[in-house]
């Protein structure tokens, strides 16, 4: 694990310290670390936005279920389409 991100930095710092990772306050900081894979473990209402941003930055993404609410799943599918190999 490279980084843990949370808008509540103190929470990210506690978890990051327990696994030897860097604490970040948001996705932009994680993306700046040039990570290969982003795991989105947030409330479903934020899944689509974070997943699309990570995909557009060229990262592989693991997203918790439900993937997204309403049209968010379609946005994710569109963002992933260029890199999808079946």
């Amino acid at each position: 694990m490279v980084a843990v991100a949370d808008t509540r930095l103190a929470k990210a710092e506690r978890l990051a310290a327990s696994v030897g990772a860097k604490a970040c306050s948001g996705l932009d900081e994680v993306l700046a670390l040039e990570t290969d894979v982003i795991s989105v473990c947030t409330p479903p209402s934020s899944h689509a936005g974070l997943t699309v941003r990570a995909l557009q930055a060229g990262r592989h993404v693991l997203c918790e279920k439900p993937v997204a609410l309403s049209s968010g799943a379609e946005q994710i599918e569109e963002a992933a389409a260029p890199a999808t190999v079946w």
Side-chain angles (χ1 to χ4, degrees), residues 6-82:
D6 196 304
T7 55
R8 296 164 293 182
L9 188 56
K11 186 175 179 182
E13 289 171 338
R14 284 191 301 277
L15 182 55
S18 73
V19 295
K22 177 176 176 46
C24 300
S25 62
L27 181 58
D28 290 333
E29 287 182 59
V30 176
L31 293 174
L33 298 173
E34 298 186 18
T35 54
D36 294 322
V37 178
I38 303 289
S39 182
V40 178
C41 306
T42 59
S45 62
S46 64
H47 284 180
L50 294 171
T51 299
V52 167
R53 286 178 52 208
L55 288 168
Q56 289 173 338
R59 302 313 192 278
H60 298 283
V61 180
L62 303 172
C63 185
E64 291 185 326
K65 291 192 284 184
V67 172
L69 304 175
S70 65
S71 65
E74 292 172 359
Q75 294 169 347
I76 292 169
E77 183 180 19
E78 289 173 15

